[in-house]
Amino acid sequence: MRHDHDADGEHTSSRRAFIRTSSVGVTAAALAATGAAPAAPAPASALAPAGPVTAVTAALRAGRPLAVTPACDGHETPESSEGPLFKPQSPERGDFITPAIRGVRLDFTGVVYDTACKPLPGTLIEFWQCDQNGDYDTAGFSLRGHQYTNSRGGFRLSTIIPRDYWGRWGRRAPHIHTQVQATGGPVLITQLYFPDDTQAYGRDFAALNAADGLINRACTIALAGPQDGAYTGAFDFVIKTSVQ
């Protein structure tokens, strides 16, 4: 069964219990994995940082423009409602693309930081979203999954741009639901959105974003593209690591 209504104002208590006892050291190399990018493109040799190749650094090296992504400033990523369509026990994976998925490809990366701007290895991240028709998979786990950040606090998700749809709170702009949780810390529940100039499914993203009363522009994924019909992007999370 697939469901196309998302009452995002409702908050459910169903969550995955997250227990991780392993400890992973954080090194200064993690700082090279930040999603920061300049306001305008520049020669790759001048701007592309050394270290892991993220969507942002790949865009810089290719000379593609990318929206500004602020560096970590210690401010927590804003929370949002979970909605009723979260499903526990999703598969562990960072690739949502299957033969049944048809849509505008999106590959995005980022780093999870604490409020002191230190990258957080081993952080649980859960993603779920609707498909190119505005439908959520409530029977299975299409476009659903969780993963853990790597030794530099980084993550990568291969998915598609979701579609807008009608829910209890009116027409929702395209968004990706997310839960982020460090070991022993509280769960951050939020929603990630897309820039006004995103091109997908013939939709007017600027109008959809403007009409969505639940949107938080601080939770906008920085996109580069489209190139060959696909986007790359970046978003960094800042979360608490202890319950206060």
Side-chain angles (χ1 to χ4, degrees):
M1 175 180 178
R2 304 183 74 85
H3 199 296
D4 62 354
H5 292 86
D6 183 1
D8 286 326
E10 298 179 2
H11 190 86
T12 64
S13 59
S14 172
R15 287 196 179 76
R16 177 195 316 279
F18 174 41
I19 301 175
R20 248 175 110 79
T21 58
S22 62
S23 175
V24 183
V26 179
T27 69
L31 298 178
T34 177
S45 58
L47 290 177
V53 177
T54 67
V56 172
T57 57
L60 290 173
R61 291 170 181 173
R64 299 195 300 273
L66 187 67
V68 172
T69 304
C72 175
D73 58 7
H75 289 93
E76 297 165 35
T77 301
E79 296 180 338
S80 188
S81 58
E82 180 181 82
L85 298 177
F86 170 73
K87 291 183 62 177
Q89 307 303 320
S90 71
E92 181 175 351
R93 61 184 177 184
D95 189 346
F96 288 176
I97 305 300
T98 67
I101 295 298
R102 298 286 187 272
V104 177
R105 177 75 178 245
L106 168 65
D107 293 289
F108 83 99
T109 60
V111 178
V112 180
Y113 297 98
D114 66 14
T115 53
C117 293
K118 295 180 180 178
L120 295 173
T123 298
L124 171 68
I125 310 181
E126 183 107 28
F127 296 104
W128 70 102
Q129 66 176 84
C130 70
D131 63 15
Q132 70 277 9
N133 299 313
D135 296 330
Y136 286 85
D137 183 3
T138 59
F141 290 96
S142 179
L143 296 171
R144 298 176 182 269
H146 72 276
Q147 60 180 278
Y148 297 93
T149 57
N150 63 23
S151 62
R152 297 178 297 274
F155 68 89
R156 176 181 297 274
L157 179 66
S158 296
T159 184
I160 62 169
I161 303 285
R163 174 73 182 265
D164 59 296
Y165 59 87
W166 283 96
R168 181 176 299 180
W169 299 96
R171 185 182 292 277
R172 295 302 322 280
H175 59 277
I176 297 176
H177 292 270
T178 309
Q179 290 185 6
V180 189
Q181 184 183 22
T183 306
V187 179
L188 168 71
I189 302 171
T190 194
Q191 299 175 24
L192 305 183
Y193 296 89
F194 297 88
D196 287 348
D197 60 355
T198 304
Q199 302 172 31
Y201 319 122
R203 312 307 290 168
D204 185 341
F205 277 68
L208 293 168
N209 287 340
D212 192 329
L214 298 179
I215 194 172
N216 190 323
R217 297 281 187 162
C219 293
T220 301
I221 298 172
L223 291 186
Q227 183 175 18
D228 298 326
Y231 281 99
T232 55
F235 188 87
D236 295 337
F237 295 93
V238 178
I239 63 172
K240 294 179 180 178
T241 56
S242 61
V243 179
Q244 298 178 348

